[in-house]
Amino acid sequence: MENGFVDCHCHISAREFAEDLEDVIQRTREAGVKTLVAVTEEVSEFDRVLQLQERYPDLVAPCFGIHPLQGDEGPAQRSVKPQELDAALPQFFKHRERLVAIGEIGLDFTPWCAATQQDRDGQMDVFIKQLNIAKELDLPVNVHSRSAAKVVIATMREQGVTRALLHNFAGKPSVALAGVKAGFLFSFPPAVCRNHQVRNEPCNIVLSCRYIADVKGLSSETVRLVTGQNAHRLFPKVDAHVQYTCF
């Protein structure tokens, strides 16, 4: 008997899923996904992800995090401001027992979103503070690193972070190797197989699994089993929050 897939980084609390959530959840279950490590990007999602855990206690494992970019996609998107995290800090500690990780956090130095040194400094301040929250709460971190991969890995090492998932990593192989040596794990979204869909959702983890299996010359079942074991090792609190059904 094998455990099912663990989606280590999903945005099920995002408003884009509000209208067809039940359909998304049904497709998730049908694909054999047993756990959703559900990250947030802004404080307005915190209550939503907790509500989803209450609604789907056998599936949703909640995280709290403030993303380095805030606002809607496009011209309105901007770097996070330190005061936005400060206002949210009490929530991390109030709900500490329900959280399985801190995320989505990180750095995004995309030029049009972090045009000034002040923007980058603000992101770094928010990132380091959330790394410290993770250490204080003894939780792993779920990390975004666009146009800032080397800085993200160096910062986590400097801060003494040992448990991290680098999501959709796009840095150089040499930088990724530094992360591997530090003990960090990496996740691969369906984009690795050039999936051109408009919106991603948890059931598409099957696409990533097949692609990894093809690249490594393994069976999909082996990839599912090993990645699931990695996920449970990185997110040990998942076992306390989610009831598993084997198949």
Side-chain angles (χ1 to χ4, degrees):
M1 302 292 282
E2 301 173 3
N3 283 329
F5 289 113
V6 178
D7 187 338
C8 290
H9 183 108
C10 72
H11 292 267
I12 202 70
S13 61
R15 58 182 175 271
E16 288 85 352
F17 288 106
E19 292 186 4
D20 63 345
L21 180 62
E22 286 296 335
D23 292 336
V24 171
I25 294 298
Q26 182 177 345
R27 289 192 292 270
T28 295
R29 296 189 190 278
E30 290 173 350
V33 181
K34 299 299 182 182
T35 306
L36 300 179
V37 178
V39 299
T40 64
E41 293 191 351
E42 53 191 33
V43 66
S44 63
E45 287 185 71
F46 286 10
D47 285 343
R48 172 69 170 161
V49 79
L50 294 181
Q51 291 167 4
L52 290 174
Q53 184 201 28
E54 293 168 0
R55 187 171 173 182
Y56 307 106
D58 63 331
L59 185 66
V60 176
C63 308
F64 280 4
I66 303 295
H67 193 278
L69 299 183
Q70 297 288 294
D72 294 331
E73 295 283 345
Q77 202 164 47
R78 57 169 177 77
S79 287
V80 66
K81 301 181 186 303
Q83 55 266 34
E84 290 172 302
L85 172 63
D86 294 342
L89 284 176
Q91 298 296 316
F92 288 88
F93 296 93
K94 178 180 179 181
H95 299 290
R96 61 191 299 170
E97 297 302 323
R98 299 179 65 177
L99 303 179
V100 301
I102 301 300
E104 180 176 2
I105 67 175
L107 300 174
D108 192 317
F109 291 168
T110 305
W112 53 89
C113 297
T116 69
Q117 188 63 45
Q118 184 178 11
D119 289 335
R120 293 187 286 274
D121 289 346
Q123 286 192 26
M124 182 65 77
D125 180 79
V126 171
F127 183 39
I128 290 176
K129 283 181 178 178
Q130 291 186 100
L131 293 177
N132 287 328
I133 291 170
K135 289 189 293 183
E136 185 172 349
L137 299 183
D138 192 26
L139 292 173
V141 289
N142 214 317
V143 182
H144 173 99
S145 57
R146 187 166 62 177
S147 301
K150 188 174 183 179
V151 179
V152 163
I153 289 177
T155 301
M156 290 197 293
R157 296 182 71 174
E158 290 166 3
Q159 296 298 317
V161 171
T162 58
R163 294 183 294 153
L165 177 77
L166 287 150
H167 163 65
N168 199 12
F169 186 80
K172 296 179 180 179
S174 59
V175 178
L177 184 59
V180 171
K181 290 180 177 178
F184 305 149
L185 299 183
F186 296 77
S187 67
F188 295 88
V192 296
C193 48
R194 294 180 171 85
N195 177 35
H196 296 296
Q197 64 193 18
V198 175
R199 185 182 68 163
N200 193 19
E201 60 179 90
C203 68
N204 291 323
I205 195 171
V206 173
L207 302 176
S208 294
C209 179
R210 291 173 183 164
Y211 186 82
I212 293 169
D214 288 343
V215 169
K216 301 185 79 66
L218 301 170
S219 69
S220 293
E221 290 76 16
T222 297
V223 173
R224 180 178 62 181
L225 178 62
V226 173
T227 56
Q229 291 172 341
N230 289 341
H232 288 287
R233 188 174 74 251
L234 180 61
F235 303 111
K237 285 185 69 178
V238 161
D239 295 307
H241 286 272
V242 179
Q243 302 171 6
Y244 290 96
T245 302
C246 296
F247 66 100

